[in-house]
Amino acid sequence: MESWIELLLRDDGTSLLGWEDESLLPELQAWLAEHAVDRLAGHPDPLLARKTALLALEHGERWVAHSEMIASAGG
């Protein structure tokens, strides 16, 4: 998940799934936003669960929230 999150946030399905399966990206993002956030709560990277939760937002809203989250974390 750590290595995929930035690709998922950018909607880069081709790099993650390949051309043939790129259409599955929205379904993967929705599943992760619904099921993975709670499971990542204890992860060593405290922002990983929060970044995963951003997948529930539309692309434009996601990047505004991502920028605010990174700024508030001091990054």
Side-chain angles (χ1 to χ4, degrees):
M1 190 64 206
E2 282 179 274
S3 61
W4 295 359
I5 191 63
E6 297 302 324
L7 295 172
L8 289 163
L9 288 169
R10 286 194 311 260
D11 293 330
D12 187 354
T14 304
S15 295
L16 204 62
L17 303 170
W19 288 103
E20 300 83 22
D21 297 323
E22 185 178 21
S23 63
L24 299 174
L25 183 63
E27 186 177 342
L28 175 60
Q29 290 169 317
W31 189 92
L32 289 168
E34 183 176 348
H35 299 285
V37 175
D38 291 339
R39 295 175 184 178
L40 293 169
H43 192 276
D45 178 355
L47 295 180
L48 186 57
R50 292 174 59 193
K51 287 179 181 179
T52 304
L54 295 178
L55 294 172
L57 302 175
E58 293 295 321
H59 187 80
E61 295 174 330
R62 185 182 313 152
W63 282 107
V64 171
H66 182 268
S67 295
E68 290 172 356
M69 179 185 63
I70 296 300
S72 71

